[in-house]
Amino acid sequence: MEYVIEMKNIRKEFPGIVANDNITLQLQKGEIHALLGENGAGKSTLMNVLFGLYQPEKGEIYVRGNKVNITDPNIANELGIGMVHQHFMLVEKFSVTENIILGNEPTKKGQVNLKEAEKEVEAISKQYGLAVDPTAKIEDISVGMQQRVEILKTLYRGADILIFDEPTAVLTPQEIKELIVIMKKLISEGKSIILITHKLKEIMEVCDRCTVIRRGVGIGTVDVSETNPDDLASMMVGREVNFSVEKQPSDPKGNILEVQSLVVEDSRHVPAVNGLNISVKSGEIVGIAGVDGNGQSELIEAITGLRKTKSGNVMLKGKDITNWKPRRVTESGLGHIPQDRHKHGLVLDFSIGENMVLQTYYKRPFSRNGILNFTTIVNKAKSLIKEFDVRTPSESTPARALSGGNQQKAIIAREIDRSPNLLIAAQPTRGLDVGAIEFIHSKLIEERDKGKAVLLISFELDEIMNVSDRIAVIYEGKIVAVVKPEETTEQELGLLMAGGKRKKAGETS
Amino acid sequence: MSILRGKWSAISVPLLSVALGLFVGGIIMLVSGYNPFVAYAALFNGIFSNTYVLGETIRQMTPLILSGLAVAFAFRTGLFNIGVEGQLLVGWLASVYVGLQFEGLSPFVHIPLAILAAGVAGAIWAFVPGLLKAKYHVHEVITTIMMNYVALHVVNAIIRTYLLAPGERTEEIHQSASLQSAFLESITDFSRLHYGIVFAIIGAIIMWFLLWKTSTGYELRAVGFNKYASEYAGINVRRNIILSMVVSGAFAGAAGAMEGLGTYGYMTVMPDFTGVGFDGIAVSLLGANSALGVVLAAALFGGLKIGALNMQSVAQVPTQLVEIVIAMIIFFVASSYLIHWISNRVNKRGKI
Ligand SMILES: Nc1ncnc2c1ncn2[C@@H]1O[C@H](COP(=O)(O)OP(=O)(O)O)[C@@H](O)[C@H]1O
Ligand SMILES: [Mg+2]
């Protein structure tokens, strides 16, 4: 068998950590090869080695049978290797074409020949089915489109081995479908693809073979046709993974959260939440299902005090907390796992320890008369790191240095530790691997079983169906239906989320 | 070269920059026909050779420490205070004003009172840009620069209108408000060394303590890094932006008091800015925005400025060359990015 890429026994160390240890990866011509592993397993590191961004300590790389020494990305480019990074590297103010030709500009008499370039970009995008407007500005196009620009960039440079680093993490379900079509098209045009992901569904759907790494160590390569999601998950995590969330039937008691006829305007002064009613009882998880942009963010912001309401009431344990300041809401028993962990959830330049007391730093025992007590802060952080299995070198590591899953665990640790009566979890598992997802779901259920109220907001129907005790469907700023997970289907939810009506009679609430 | 990255970079980058700055300065001397070895020997002697120059160096670094702290404090909390110069001027005037009042007060009351007045004046001057930033999102760089000019002309107008004495200056302050010390002068061969350095060091300790040991410092830093997460955590973002500017301005005002109560004992009508406030930006940058770093950087700049006088008289090298050296040092610190990049290149080429 001829391999277009062979990485043999690669080892890459960072100060204090072995990110890749003895990993072998072989890419056949014309295949989509999955690279699977938990957050922080070393997938990006391995691909950065292949792309010439890092130099390995040990190991060999062969491209089309020839031993190569890829010391910088230009060499990777010359070898026909292109990479679409996890975080896009585009110039916001430039047009699609300008971004694609950046560093490789076609010139005519010393001037950039943009017309020529636009034609070429259009030709490539036709050939591979990557529809984009070559003249649009990057800042004006969607994330999915920006990703296409990144792909086009590699194709424009003549890549025929493409590396995608978690391309689906940032995409909507519809965009994911389109990306899958694009990848298949690329293969039919003779390209080979390495796809980094931790979504097992996608691997089963598009990949031919799959290489698994766990905590930096290569576990093995399997044929996708001869495996199943359960086996892949246990290869990745190193133990059996429970997909169907295990929980007892709920035993709800009195109302903890009551939202009545709530109206909240978005930043453009359009009512995003428009007469919404919802309640969450003690000992139950209510999941809000809905397409992004139907008022979910504004609803959370209004409950947590981050956004003023226009009218209506928010009651927490019978107290009217409408338009209270965030700290007062927090202190009256609310925990909040925010949707955007980098923007709201963490101060990335603070240490993990400092982040662990973000909601409590001003209170005893963490500070006294305005003086911080670092001994208690460090002890608290250490115990939370242990209890919630946050993988970090130490509590003084900056939050920025942790993987997404561990950042999220730190936030959850902080919020749950305060033992709030109401826990709002907004997209708590976005971008995380199955191990972390399982952990977070079990924590939410644990809180419920302690008699807390949990409000879960998610765009993933799987998650809503598996974790919630009741599902409220949000559409255009209103709750349009409340259903029990065991009495509905994903199809029905999908219909309701799109503004359709429930078919069965007598079930509206 | 990896010492230039990671946790040692706060020390290695400034040190390397100083070395490179002196080196480039030496080349410029060579090109202009001076002997850099003779010049640097004179510069060195001009800082350390006797107690007089040592005393002058410490005097010179005193206001530099405080203006450096002002810039560093604001920077640590996410703000760019370019208005230290103006805050320093109003602080200077306020300290002199208090120093002219209250005859017969004990120095232990009068001096702190005058420094406090300077701090409050600087704080008020910085409050305005802080408020504009917090309420209307007006960028503080613009407003603080503007406030410098307002300060210069307002201060001059006040001196001319209310406090004028012969010689385009105010009267001398009362002895009880003065930081000058016959004792310090006598042990340094009659330099103008005064007690201000004590207050400057106290200032550095206050900055360190406030930022790193108090819950207020925690809030200020949180807001500087991420105002959304701060808001989520219930921190009052607007109040902290204003507070950051106010504290920064207080340091700057105290720097003015060092001149008003220490070096001069009066204030003149200012033909132009003192430059101490702007030097604070350089001091803060070279000191990696840390309290200790600011003290060390201020010592270096103070020393270079005093040593330059000797360099001129002994080696006939114009003092402006030291300005060039200082500028080069700042250039190299600011381009530490460039230094990183060069060291990366070297690493890559050197290794397989
Ligand atoms: N530049 C770096 N310096 C130090 N450690 C790093 C660096 N890049 C990654 N790591 C560490 O190496 C490990 C693997 O990271 P990464 O390859 O990004 O994982 P993945 O892409 O599988 O989520 C993690 O523990 C991460 O913290
Ligand atoms: Mg990665």
Side-chain angles (χ1 to χ4, degrees):
Chain A
M1 186 80 228
E2 201 217 323
Y3 295 115
V4 279
I5 298 275
E6 252 191 302
M7 300 180 82
K8 282 189 178 165
N9 311 101
I10 301 292
R11 180 182 175 90
K12 173 71 202 166
E13 297 169 15
F14 291 117
I17 185 167
V18 182
N20 286 166
D21 188 10
N22 203 14
I23 299 184
T24 294
L25 183 143
Q26 294 163 319
L27 177 68
Q28 291 173 358
K29 185 162 168 49
E31 75 167 338
I32 303 184
H33 192 112
L35 183 56
L36 175 67
E38 288 184 282
N39 290 305
K43 307 178 295 288
S44 298
T45 303
L46 185 69
M47 288 303 108
N48 285 333
V49 166
L50 179 57
F51 195 56
L53 286 167
Y54 296 149
Q55 306 310 308
E57 264 75 38
K58 249 195 234 158
E60 289 156 0
I61 301 175
Y62 296 84
V63 176
R64 296 179 201 87
N66 304 316
K67 184 157 188 244
V68 291
N69 204 346
I70 307 175
T71 48
D72 74 49
N74 290 328
I75 298 179
N77 274 333
E78 283 160 24
L79 290 168
I81 301 171
M83 182 154 175
V84 176
H85 292 273
Q86 204 162 353
H87 304 283
F88 301 157
M89 303 183 174
L90 297 170
V91 184
E92 293 258 300
K93 300 269 171 208
F94 275 17
S95 77
V96 167
T97 303
E98 285 168 322
N99 266 285
I100 290 172
I101 63 175
L102 196 63
N104 253 349
E105 303 87 353
T107 50
K108 201 160 94 186
K109 294 187 199 127
Q111 283 193 321
V112 175
N113 190 344
L114 209 57
K115 280 274 160 308
E116 186 66 38
E118 272 167 15
K119 263 191 223 139
E120 201 171 335
V121 167
E122 203 150 0
I124 302 176
S125 77
K126 278 240 175 62
Q127 186 186 350
Y128 296 101
L130 285 151
V132 286
D133 171 4
T135 57
K137 278 224 177 88
I138 294 299
E139 58 189 1
D140 298 332
I141 63 179
S142 70
V143 173
M145 283 293 170
Q146 292 180 10
Q147 191 171 60
R148 290 182 185 182
V149 177
E150 287 280 11
I151 300 172
L152 281 168
K153 236 162 88 177
T154 66
L155 295 171
Y156 180 82
R157 283 162 178 67
D160 54 12
I161 298 159
L162 300 172
I163 306 166
F164 291 97
D165 195 348
E166 298 197 26
T168 57
V170 291
L171 301 183
T172 64
Q174 181 56 35
E175 287 171 330
I176 292 177
K177 277 189 196 137
E178 290 166 12
L179 177 67
I180 287 175
V181 172
I182 291 169
M183 285 195 291
K184 288 185 169 157
K185 177 85 179 159
L186 286 167
I187 293 297
S188 72
E189 296 279 329
K191 311 283 180 193
S192 313
I193 296 178
I194 299 176
L195 172 68
I196 301 185
T197 183
H198 45 237
K199 294 194 185 165
L200 303 169
K201 234 159 81 179
E202 288 161 11
I203 295 181
M204 298 310 293
E205 194 174 339
V206 291
C207 296
D208 302 300
R209 296 191 309 145
C210 174
T211 295
V212 183
I213 56 182
R214 185 198 309 155
R215 299 204 192 182
V217 183
I219 300 298
T221 302
V222 291
D223 269 333
V224 170
S225 57
E226 289 163 16
T227 187
N228 57 54
D230 290 301
D231 288 348
L232 283 178
S234 51
M235 270 178 91
M236 162 164 99
V237 185
R239 61 180 164 81
E240 296 281 308
V241 176
N242 222 331
F243 283 104
S244 57
V245 181
E246 275 197 32
K247 57 173 198 200
Q248 305 300 315
S250 69
D251 178 21
K253 303 258 161 49
N255 275 347
I256 297 285
L257 175 74
E258 273 173 279
V259 175
Q260 294 151 352
S261 328
L262 189 69
V263 178
V264 188
E265 290 182 343
D266 65 16
S267 348
R268 294 163 303 157
H269 300 289
V270 179
V273 173
N274 203 352
L276 181 142
N277 294 297
I278 195 172
S279 67
V280 187
K281 293 190 175 62
S282 153
E284 75 167 347
I285 300 177
V286 172
I288 295 192
V291 178
D292 192 8
N294 273 285
Q296 292 97 324
S297 309
E298 288 80 5
L299 172 64
I300 304 169
E301 285 170 1
I303 297 174
T304 54
L306 289 167
R307 189 182 281 274
K308 290 267 168 290
T309 65
K310 187 93 174 131
S311 63
N313 288 314
V314 181
M315 315 276 286
L316 185 61
K317 279 207 303 181
K319 247 186 295 175
D320 190 341
I321 61 159
T322 320
N323 290 333
W324 280 16
K325 290 239 163 71
R327 177 157 298 167
R328 216 169 145 209
V329 177
T330 305
E331 294 204 323
S332 51
L334 177 114
H336 177 195
I337 300 161
Q339 181 167 352
D340 188 336
R341 51 182 166 261
H342 287 175
K343 190 173 174 191
H344 287 111
L346 294 166
V347 179
L348 288 174
D349 297 292
F350 269 12
S351 70
I352 283 297
E354 285 174 305
N355 271 295
M356 286 293 196
V357 294
L358 194 59
Q359 305 270 30
T360 46
Y361 67 90
Y362 57 92
K363 285 198 293 208
R364 285 183 187 211
F366 306 117
S367 70
R368 224 172 237 239
N369 307 321
I371 311 288
L372 295 171
N373 183 340
F374 282 97
T375 320
T376 57
I377 292 175
V378 166
N379 287 341
K380 170 56 88 185
K382 278 188 172 148
S383 78
L384 288 179
I385 285 169
K386 202 159 155 230
E387 187 187 343
F388 286 80
D389 187 29
V390 182
R391 292 193 200 143
T392 168
S394 86
E395 76 287 338
S396 58
T397 307
R400 187 181 291 290
L402 267 57
S403 71
N406 286 303
Q407 290 174 341
Q408 187 73 337
K409 282 187 195 168
I411 295 171
I412 290 174
R414 178 184 75 211
E415 296 305 307
I416 288 183
D417 184 57
R418 292 186 293 113
S419 192
N421 301 109
L422 172 67
L423 182 63
I424 296 184
Q427 298 247 72
T429 61
R430 175 154 74 172
L432 305 188
D433 59 67
V434 286
I437 292 175
E438 188 192 22
F439 178 85
I440 286 164
H441 286 168
S442 73
K443 282 289 168 192
L444 294 182
I445 291 163
E446 210 177 291
E447 285 307 292
R448 177 201 79 166
D449 292 343
K450 281 191 221 155
K452 313 291 185 192
V454 179
L455 183 63
L456 169 72
I457 293 91
S458 177
F459 306 138
E460 306 270 350
L461 279 184
D462 288 358
E463 178 162 59
I464 291 280
M465 291 286 275
N466 282 333
V467 180
S468 316
D469 300 310
R470 274 196 302 150
I471 299 171
V473 181
I474 190 168
Y475 178 69
E476 293 190 340
K478 283 192 189 70
I479 300 296
V480 290
V482 178
V483 296
K484 289 222 152 98
E486 57 275 15
E487 289 167 7
T488 185
T489 60
E490 290 202 10
Q491 284 71 21
E492 190 189 32
L493 281 181
L495 193 68
L496 289 167
M497 282 159 54
K501 288 270 174 299
R502 250 202 135 185
K503 296 225 178 64
K504 279 181 273 174
E507 283 272 12
T508 43
S509 78
Chain B
M1 279 294 187
S2 64
I3 200 163
L4 290 171
R5 327 201 78 197
K7 65 175 170 189
W8 290 105
S9 66
I11 300 164
S12 58
V13 168
L15 285 182
L16 188 68
S17 303
V18 170
L20 285 172
L22 291 171
F23 178 73
V24 174
I27 290 183
I28 294 173
M29 287 181 205
L30 262 182
V31 171
S32 343
Y34 301 106
N35 181 338
F37 296 103
V38 175
Y40 280 137
L43 179 77
F44 188 81
N45 282 335
I47 306 172
F48 296 108
S49 64
N50 57 50
T51 54
Y52 173 82
V53 287
L54 213 56
E56 280 292 297
T57 295
I58 296 174
R59 176 193 63 74
Q60 184 84 28
M61 70 187 266
T62 301
L64 281 179
I65 292 177
L66 285 162
S67 70
L69 291 176
V71 178
F73 188 89
F75 195 80
R76 283 277 179 193
T77 54
L79 296 172
F80 239 130
N81 184 3
I82 311 292
V84 173
E85 182 69 35
Q87 294 144 19
L88 180 148
L89 289 175
V90 296
W92 184 341
L93 180 66
S95 71
V96 167
Y97 180 80
V98 172
L100 290 167
Q101 315 296 318
F102 312 115
E103 200 177 353
L105 219 56
S106 152
F108 291 102
V109 181
H110 207 170
I111 291 174
L113 193 67
I115 295 179
L116 190 72
V120 169
I124 292 172
W125 217 252
F127 171 80
V128 177
L131 183 76
L132 290 173
K133 165 105 182 179
K135 276 215 116 149
Y136 306 108
H137 307 287
V138 186
H139 203 288
E140 74 276 10
V141 167
I142 314 277
T143 45
T144 51
I145 290 176
M146 295 310 202
M147 290 296 281
N148 284 338
Y149 290 96
V150 179
L152 182 65
H153 296 296
V154 166
V155 162
N156 282 343
I158 291 177
I159 296 176
R160 284 209 181 93
T161 319
Y162 302 106
L163 303 170
L164 203 62
E168 289 282 283
R169 47 168 275 197
T170 68
E171 297 283 356
E172 193 91 17
I173 57 170
H174 292 308
Q175 196 52 41
S176 56
S178 174
L179 287 167
Q180 289 165 4
S181 148
F183 167 68
L184 290 179
E185 285 168 19
S186 70
I187 61 166
T188 57
D189 197 13
F190 301 98
S191 76
R192 288 175 291 168
L193 180 63
H194 54 80
Y195 282 121
I197 185 69
V198 177
F199 292 94
I201 301 290
I202 292 174
I205 294 170
I206 291 177
M207 149 150 168
W208 169 81
F209 187 82
L210 184 60
L211 267 187
W212 301 104
K213 298 289 157 190
T214 69
S215 55
T216 307
Y218 180 101
E219 289 186 359
L220 286 165
R221 287 183 295 125
V223 171
F225 281 134
N226 183 345
K227 56 179 204 255
Y228 300 103
S230 304
E231 209 179 351
Y232 155 88
I235 296 170
N236 187 331
V237 171
R238 287 179 179 191
R239 201 188 66 199
N240 274 286
I241 288 174
I242 295 173
L243 182 63
S244 162
M245 278 310 280
V246 164
V247 174
S248 171
F251 281 123
M258 298 301 110
E259 305 288 56
L261 309 177
T263 306
Y264 297 96
Y266 56 84
M267 188 169 193
T268 57
V269 171
M270 308 299 287
D272 198 355
F273 292 124
T274 65
V276 175
F278 299 121
D279 286 345
I281 300 169
V283 167
S284 166
L285 188 65
L286 183 64
N289 303 308
S290 78
L292 181 62
V294 163
V295 173
L296 296 177
L300 177 76
F301 284 2
L304 287 177
K305 289 195 172 189
I306 296 300
L309 302 173
N310 196 48
M311 194 173 80
Q312 182 166 39
S313 59
V314 174
Q316 281 79 47
V317 178
T319 52
Q320 279 80 354
L321 256 164
V322 162
E323 302 289 332
I324 294 180
V325 170
I326 291 180
M328 288 321 295
I329 293 174
I330 297 311
F331 171 80
F332 285 116
V333 178
S335 46
S336 62
Y337 172 76
L338 189 78
I339 295 179
H340 283 162
W341 185 78
I342 292 169
S343 82
N344 275 349
R345 289 268 113 177
V346 172
N347 273 355
K348 275 197 178 160
R349 294 276 172 258
K351 232 178 359 190
I352 306 298

